[in-house]
Amino acid sequence: LSKFRNATVQAADSNKRYNSVGLAEVSPYSPSIACSDKFIATTAISSGKIAVLPTDISKHTAKGILPTISAHADIACDFSFSPFNPHLLATAGDEVLRGWKIPASGLADNLTSPEFQ
């Protein structure tokens, strides 16, 4: 028996959730979301871009904009956070693997230069 059999889901308060986040269409070829204990990454509206938001909405410094990583020219085939460092995001696409370092304070603006390639 599962200890979670009687668990129920409750919606977060409106001041503790992201609203109006425009996302790309879900692709069967790439993940739609990746999480670390600090950040949430998801495919953004335009191809090859990944939106990165802090898990704690009160730490979201870029109010009114959706800060993105310009990861690849075409669709990002895969992306995942490092299991050892919640600030490192690896992306794959365009036959290239790139590593991105997310500042501890989160993205205040778009990120265009990878940490490594």
Side-chain angles (χ1 to χ4, degrees), residues 16-69:
K16 294 183 180 177
R17 64 179 178 223
Y18 291 103
N19 295 316
S20 304
V21 176
L23 304 176
E25 290 183 26
V26 176
S27 168
Y29 305 109
S30 69
S32 57
I33 193 166
C35 298
S36 73
D37 64 332
K38 306 278 184 205
F39 300 102
I40 302 165
T42 184
T43 51
I45 292 174
S46 58
S47 181
K49 292 194 176 194
I50 298 172
V52 178
L53 299 164
T55 54
D56 183 354
I57 194 167
S58 67
K59 295 182 180 173
H60 182 49
T61 58
K63 305 285 187 210
I65 66 164
L66 184 62
T68 61
I69 294 174

Side-chain angles (χ1 to χ4, degrees), residues 5 8 16 21 47 49-51 61 67 73 81 84 91 99 108-109 112:
R5 68 182 174 274
T8 59
K16 294 183 180 177
V21 176
S47 181
K49 292 194 176 194
I50 298 172
T61 58
F81 283 98
F84 306 107
T91 64
D109 203 1
T112 57

